[in-house]
Amino acid sequence: MIPNITNKQQEITTLIPRYRFLNRQHIQSLLNHKDEARINNWLKDLTEKKYIKRIYDNTIIGKNRISAIYTLDNNGIRYIKAKGKYDTNFIHKLYWDKTRSDSFIQHCLLISRICCELERKNNDTVTRTYSTESDICNEDSDFKFLKNSDLSVDICFSKKEKGKKIQYFLLTIFDEKLPYYRIRKRIRAYKDFYYSNEWENHINSPFPMIFFVGGTKERMIYAKRYTKRILEEDNTDELSIMFATAEDVIANGVTGSIWESIK
């Protein structure tokens, strides 16, 4: 029998698997909640009840200034499993999140940052929605077909302006230690997916714009050059791919004027 928690704490527990790792600022933003102290009390109680695990290192000089990070603990995973929202394979992944590498955690935190930005940018004239990789694993997702592709999609998001057609975007992050052969493989997978017509078969919309985010400038430049080469080989002018560094995304956001084309 797992301990009882409040409705808001249930909401926090449900939020975490969408992003895998969140800090308090992310959680407060996603809940659209103004009371930091109350958020901290909910997180403290959830940690004590083993719904979430708090990752924080104040023994290393400098690290005590980094916000604590939260992921699901055993009771939280049991709670999510009972909801029946995710398949067995995804639930199994959640048990390993407590021992993930720092690079994986930072990857997830960048995704969380981007998603918080997309939500903040919504207004009366522009609506942005998104699906994380975890959302795509949900059988009710409109984008579940992406799960069965060879794509490595971190975020699928859309932008709807009043009086205009909806635009879709697929975003992939190339981590700073990702081998170059895997970058090449992921870029080729996008090209193959473009020719497959899978997107058009499932979504009544033109093929999305692709955003590649390099964990370092070197990886961004490498991805840009390789993409240009393989697109020129096939003369694929209709496929729109844009590039930025993770540093630019953190500083200015994905909705900022940070993106470079291959032209």
Side-chain angles (χ1 to χ4, degrees), residues 1 21 30 50 106 146 157-158 161 175 191 228 246:
M1 192 77 178
F21 292 87
L30 293 166
K50 303 294 184 183
Q106 294 306 315
L146 294 175
F157 65 99
S158 67
E161 295 184 74
D175 291 334
K191 188 192 74 169
K228 182 176 182 179

Side-chain angles (χ1 to χ4, degrees), residues 29-170:
S29 176
L30 293 166
L31 291 178
N32 194 25
H33 200 287
K34 295 182 179 180
D35 193 336
E36 178 182 336
R38 183 165 293 184
I39 296 285
N40 284 328
N41 286 335
W42 287 334
L43 293 173
K44 182 175 183 292
D45 186 58
L46 284 169
T47 302
E48 291 172 351
K49 292 177 177 177
K50 303 294 184 183
Y51 275 82
I52 62 175
K53 181 176 177 63
R54 184 174 185 264
I55 302 170
Y56 185 63
D57 187 351
N58 62 358
T59 63
I60 301 175
I61 294 175
K63 274 212 169 185
N64 59 336
R65 296 182 181 179
I66 298 174
S67 299
I69 300 163
Y70 298 91
T71 191
L72 288 184
D73 208 341
N74 289 344
N75 283 337
I77 298 171
R78 293 187 186 106
Y79 175 83
I80 293 300
K81 184 178 181 180
K83 289 285 186 181
K85 187 176 180 179
Y86 300 107
D87 62 25
T88 303
N89 289 334
F90 181 75
I91 295 296
H92 182 71
K93 288 181 182 180
L94 296 178
Y95 280 103
W96 288 97
D97 281 356
K98 291 178 288 184
T99 58
R100 294 288 185 180
S101 66
D102 185 63
S103 61
F104 182 87
I105 294 172
Q106 294 306 315
H107 182 104
C108 294
L109 291 175
L110 180 55
I111 292 169
S112 303
R113 173 190 284 267
I114 293 170
C115 292
C116 287
E117 177 202 348
L118 292 173
E119 292 201 8
R120 286 196 307 271
K121 292 292 184 176
N122 283 334
N123 54 48
D124 292 338
T125 60
V126 181
T127 301
R128 294 175 174 86
T129 61
Y130 63 85
S131 294
T132 64
E133 183 183 7
S134 303
D135 295 328
I136 292 168
C137 290
N138 185 343
E139 286 302 312
D140 294 331
S141 172
D142 291 337
F143 305 104
K144 63 182 179 182
F145 67 95
L146 294 175
K147 175 184 167 185
N148 299 320
S149 71
D150 291 329
L151 297 184
S152 178
V153 179
D154 288 308
I155 310 172
C156 173
F157 65 99
S158 67
K159 177 183 178 183
K160 179 66 174 70
E161 295 184 74
K162 282 188 176 180
K164 296 183 180 180
K165 292 183 178 180
I166 190 168
Q167 294 177 278
Y168 288 96
F169 307 84
L170 299 178

Side-chain angles (χ1 to χ4, degrees), residues 219-234:
R219 271 162 175 72
M220 189 271 281
I221 293 172
Y222 182 84
K224 188 176 178 181
R225 287 174 177 170
Y226 184 74
T227 301
K228 182 176 182 179
R229 192 178 88 197
I230 65 169
L231 294 188
E232 286 178 345
E233 289 173 356
D234 289 357

